[in-house]
Amino acid sequence: MQDIPPIPLYVTDDGAERWRLLHHHRGNDLSGFPAYMDSFNGGSRASAAGWAISKIIVDRFTPGRLYLCNWYGVAYSGDGGMTWRAGQFRGLETTCMEAVVADKLQPGKFCVTMADHSPKVTEDGGLSFRNLPGLSGYSGSSAAVNSAADPGLYLYGLIGHGNTACIAVYHDGEDRARAALTLGPGLFVQALREDGNQPGTYYAYVDGAVSAGAGIYRSRDGGTSWDRTAFRPPAYVETLPHQKRWIEAELLSVVVYQVKNACGSNQLMDTNPHLAGQLIAGEATEGIWQSSDHGDTWDFIGEGLPFQLGGPASVLSAVAYSPSCPGTIYTGFISEGLWRSSDGGQSWHKLFPVMAGKLFNVSALCVGRGEHGEDVLISASEPMVRTSTESEMAWSRDGGDTWEEWEHAPLGAVRWKGIALDCEVRQVLAVTCGNGAFRGTISL
């Protein structure tokens, strides 16, 4: 492996009879790439750029110009591949994200989690970002939550080497983050939420083997200490999710057969903004449960929902309480679209898509409170071979009674993983797996 050049670009001058290495690239042959690449592969920026190349294109009109696409974005060369300059690597510095969450107090402020990186925060709607600190031994991030009581406090899940994870706590102005809950091998922070009426009380959805500690956790002291709630799935469910390898390694993962590779997170648990201590948690194939006493007892409320209705790809992907209407809950499914309950989960009906037989993968969902007291919904569908579906995005200004589909065909096959509306329900930040992040505004 040591004989493989950092950027394995070969050329031929005799019709492919013989090939030679174009150049043995060094770090100073590359410019404009994100700084974190300097610590990859033993400190070699060239190796970091070369290992993840997906395509090299020769410019047909400009002699000597090449384009290179890799995990980090697009770079170009003006001298036939001898040197490379990266373009559009600012901001998030990667194209693969896990989730996005909006700050509850500050307009335009969002926190983004991502594969292979600690979270980043924007306070200008996505124009610029700053890093939240990671921890030694952890390289990626999954779920995150911003405090409603303290705008400088963040809790986020970090993904570690050796299939480990933790919940990190950080406050703006501190030198470093600290690990508040360290999880064992195979456990993962799927979602984080603050109690809707008791700031400082937090809940964490931890997936993995139930016997190893997967379940719902609770902190009553601002994330400093945690205890496991009474949530237990049915006895036959040994892992969260129940069909773990199918869901995480094949259906939702960015790379098939790589478990938990940016398959989406932070959407399977929510807290009720109208009632202290009430929260819901969903499992992909088996149901939804609700607790009204901070997690001490749980009730099943998933009867009537389309769990695997159209086949194994019909799995739960998102749950959300209405910020406008007490008792209203939304659930999103791969294949089967968006559903709503207006009676606290006792009954359900389908909201979108309304066309009979049409499939829609709710891979990202956000709900905001409109200025006239109605729910504003945005739902995005990532394309999937398994369901023969395309990339789509739709929104509703009236709680899902009517819908408008957003035209975004020029963006291509976008793998939507998360959407958030800011606290003013005006600015939108959407994150994807492999397609970067997109910002915009909506008019109500």
Side-chain angles (χ1 to χ4, degrees):
M1 295 295 291
Q2 294 181 352
D3 295 332
I4 298 176
I7 299 180
L9 181 58
Y10 293 81
V11 297
T12 179
D13 301 316
D14 56 9
E17 290 292 331
R18 291 181 296 275
W19 293 83
R20 60 180 174 81
L21 180 67
L22 176 67
H23 180 59
H24 192 94
H25 293 85
R26 306 294 183 185
N28 57 8
D29 294 321
L30 290 81
S31 59
F33 286 81
Y36 65 80
M37 288 175 57
D38 291 343
S39 62
F40 283 10
N41 290 343
S44 169
R45 179 184 300 186
S47 294
W51 75 268
I53 294 174
S54 58
K55 182 174 287 188
I56 295 176
I57 297 176
V58 177
D59 193 312
R60 293 184 298 161
F61 306 103
T62 305
R65 171 157 288 198
L66 305 175
Y67 300 93
L68 178 153
C69 180
N70 63 12
W71 191 253
Y72 316 100
V74 178
Y76 68 91
S77 172
D79 55 10
M82 301 296 287
T83 61
W84 293 90
R85 179 170 180 78
Q88 304 303 318
F89 282 88
R90 299 182 302 275
L92 289 166
E93 297 185 331
T94 184
T95 61
C96 196
M97 292 112 205
E98 281 276 4
V100 57
V101 61
D103 188 270
K104 295 179 176 62
L105 303 173
Q106 183 176 329
K109 184 176 180 180
F110 301 89
C111 181
V112 178
T113 61
M114 60 199 72
D116 302 321
H117 303 276
S118 60
K120 291 180 183 286
V121 172
T122 176
E123 299 187 58
D124 53 19
L127 290 173
S128 62
F129 290 84
R130 60 183 171 89
N131 294 317
L132 295 182
L135 291 169
S136 177
Y138 298 90
S139 59
S141 52
S142 54
V145 62
N146 303 49
S147 171
D150 186 345
L153 180 64
Y154 309 89
L155 277 67
Y156 42 97
L158 293 178
I159 306 167
H161 311 310
N163 202 22
T164 59
C166 76
I167 296 175
V169 179
Y170 174 73
H171 197 286
D172 283 337
E174 295 179 343
D175 292 335
R176 58 180 63 88
R178 65 185 185 278
L181 177 65
T182 301
L183 301 168
L187 299 179
F188 179 88
V189 184
Q190 208 287 333
L192 286 165
R193 291 290 187 273
E194 188 173 26
D195 193 291
N197 283 269
Q198 292 184 342
T201 296
Y202 293 91
Y203 304 93
Y205 186 130
V206 175
D207 60 18
V210 176
S211 62
I216 310 299
Y217 287 70
R218 170 182 57 202
S219 172
R220 298 181 184 268
D221 54 10
T224 298
S225 61
W226 294 82
D227 63 277
R228 192 180 180 190
T229 72
F231 174 80
R232 297 294 185 275
Y236 66 87
V237 177
E238 297 181 351
T239 61
L240 297 174
H242 176 45
Q243 299 180 25
K244 184 177 178 64
R245 178 156 292 278
W246 154 246
I247 293 167
E248 295 180 352
E250 297 188 48
L251 183 62
L252 299 180
S253 183
V254 61
V255 179
V256 177
Y257 304 121
Q258 288 190 9
V259 176
K260 278 295 182 191
N261 191 321
C263 63
S265 62
N266 215 33
Q267 297 192 115
L268 286 177
M269 181 179 68
D270 201 18
T271 54
N272 193 335
H274 307 285
L275 186 62
Q278 189 169 79
L279 65 155
I280 49 175
E283 196 285 323
T285 64
E286 305 307 305
I288 300 174
W289 290 264
Q290 180 171 250
S291 173
S292 297
D293 53 13
H294 303 276
D296 289 336
T297 60
W298 294 83
D299 298 310
F300 181 79
I301 61 168
E303 192 69 39
L305 286 170
F307 289 95
Q308 299 194 300
L309 176 66
S314 300
V315 303
L316 180 71
S317 55
V319 298
Y321 281 107
S322 164
S324 310
C325 306
T328 295
I329 306 171
Y330 301 96
T331 58
F333 283 79
I334 301 300
S335 298
E336 295 299 325
L338 185 65
W339 294 63
R340 180 177 68 190
S341 171
S342 300
D343 54 14
Q346 298 306 303
S347 62
W348 298 88
H349 69 276
K350 191 172 185 178
L351 276 186
F352 184 83
V354 294
M355 183 185 302
K358 178 175 171 57
L359 300 182
F360 187 94
N361 306 317
V362 181
S363 56
L365 172 68
C366 72
V367 187
R369 179 182 173 87
E371 57 186 10
H372 301 298
E374 71 288 348
D375 285 340
V376 177
L377 306 171
I378 305 177
S379 182
S381 171
E382 69 172 77
M384 287 188 182
V385 174
R386 296 281 186 179
T387 57
S388 299
T389 49
E390 304 295 330
S391 176
E392 299 181 66
M393 185 177 288
W395 80 304
S396 172
R397 313 179 196 212
D398 53 16
D401 292 334
T402 61
W403 290 86
E404 300 174 45
E405 295 194 41
W406 284 349
E407 173 58 46
H408 69 287
L411 299 180
V414 180
R415 299 196 61 178
W416 303 105
K417 290 299 183 183
I419 303 176
L421 275 163
D422 77 344
C423 60
E424 291 187 339
V425 195
R426 287 290 185 272
Q427 300 185 61
V428 183
L429 190 64
V431 300
T432 76
C433 184
N435 302 95
F438 299 84
R439 59 184 296 269
T441 57
I442 62 173
S443 175
L444 299 179

